């Protein structure tokens, strides 16, 4: 039986979240991340032998993402390898616990929502209820492309973030979803909402 956030009288020992088939978990631990990035690049270029330069670029980009995610307190990073017809459904999910000193002194979801509303670029900010994880803050943001950091991507990026207070602690678990598929942004956000809805504490 899945516990709800209100059931905890001591901090949970872990969390679980269900991601779609076809989302690759990129290892973030320094001793594993390089090999994991290479494995994903090999998977993406399987059967393609005439693009070694592109495969090396992808490997380096994945390694960079893993290092930055780990430095930001990342615990898990998932990258979508799903394809519908000729269209790759590019998206990512970074799960993190912000380290001490890098998070405002916020007492709960309502206060955090008010704090985030003051930051630039947030299209939507609100408090929502997840069935097991409890009350969380949900934000949606639209960013202009940064080709230098996104393998030449020239499309706007839609980001969806969930900030979940970890029961019986002052820490937060953050789910950061992102997709550069602007024409399908709303459909991808629906998928992200569904994934976030599976979050539960152990």
């Amino acid at each position: 039986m899945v516990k709800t956030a209100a059931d905890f009288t001591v901090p949970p020992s872990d969390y679980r979240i269900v991601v779609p088939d076809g989302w690759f978990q990129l290892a973030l631990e320094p001793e594993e991340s390089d090999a994991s990035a290479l494995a994903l690049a090999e998977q993406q270029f399987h059967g393609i032998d005439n693009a070694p330069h592109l495969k090396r670029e992808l490997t380096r980009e994945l390694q960079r993402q893993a290092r930055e995610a780990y430095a930001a307190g990342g615990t898990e990073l998932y990258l979508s390898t799903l394809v519908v017809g000729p269209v790759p459904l590019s998206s990512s999910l970074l799960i993190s616990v912000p380290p001490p000193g890098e998070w405002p002194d916020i007492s709960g979801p309502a206060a955090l929502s008010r704090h985030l509303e003051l930051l630039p670029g947030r299209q939507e900010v609100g408090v929502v209820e997840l069935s097991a994880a409890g009350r969380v803050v949900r934000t949606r943001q639209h960013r202009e492309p940064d080709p230098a950091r996104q393998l030449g991507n020239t499309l706007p990026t839609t980001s969806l973030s969930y900030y979940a207070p970890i029961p019986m602690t002052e820490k937060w678990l953050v789910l950061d979803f992102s997709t550069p598929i602007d024409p399908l942004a709303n459909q991808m956000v629906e998928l992200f909402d569904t994934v976030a809805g599976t979050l539960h504490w152990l």
Side-chain angles (χ1 to χ4, degrees):
M1 181 177 177
V2 175
K3 287 185 176 181
T4 66
D7 293 329
F8 286 86
T9 56
V10 296
S13 59
D14 206 346
Y15 67 87
R16 287 289 182 273
I17 192 167
V18 180
V19 301
D21 292 337
W23 281 22
F24 184 97
Q25 184 175 1
L26 187 66
L28 299 184
E29 294 75 12
E31 64 274 12
E32 300 177 10
S33 60
D34 284 356
S36 182
L38 180 58
L40 178 53
E42 292 283 359
Q43 175 181 311
Q44 293 299 92
F45 280 86
H46 179 70
I48 303 174
D49 299 323
N50 60 349
H53 177 66
L54 292 178
K55 185 163 72 173
R56 284 195 299 271
E57 281 193 353
L58 176 60
T59 302
R60 286 195 293 265
E61 171 66 12
L62 293 171
Q63 291 168 341
R64 181 192 65 78
Q65 288 184 29
R67 287 193 297 270
E68 291 185 355
Y70 184 79
T75 59
E76 295 182 82
L77 176 60
Y78 294 92
L79 301 174
S80 171
T81 61
L82 297 173
V83 177
V84 175
V87 181
L89 297 182
S90 302
S91 58
S92 64
L93 165 60
L94 173 63
I95 305 176
S96 61
V97 177
E102 294 189 14
W103 193 247
D105 184 15
I106 298 295
S107 59
L112 178 60
S113 179
R114 290 192 295 270
H115 172 78
L116 294 175
E117 285 175 350
L118 300 177
L119 300 180
R122 305 281 173 173
Q123 285 187 308
E124 301 174 13
V125 180
V127 177
V128 299
E129 184 85 23
L130 297 183
S131 58
R135 284 167 58 82
V136 304
V137 178
R138 176 187 182 275
T139 72
R140 179 173 175 173
Q141 188 172 5
H142 184 268
R143 294 189 181 100
E144 292 306 312
D146 184 355
R149 291 179 55 84
Q150 299 172 0
L151 289 176
N153 173 49
T154 57
L155 297 174
T157 299
T158 297
S159 300
L160 188 76
S161 298
Y162 278 83
Y163 302 83
I166 301 175
M168 307 306 295
T169 76
E170 296 182 354
K171 298 179 179 179
W172 295 76
L173 186 75
V174 183
L175 312 179
D176 283 315
F177 298 91
S178 181
T179 181
I181 310 176
D182 199 47
L184 297 177
N186 289 334
Q187 292 90 331
M188 297 301 292
V189 165
E190 289 180 7
L191 173 62
F192 299 159
D193 282 328
T194 299
V195 173
T198 69
L199 175 66
H200 58 279
W201 309 107
L202 301 178

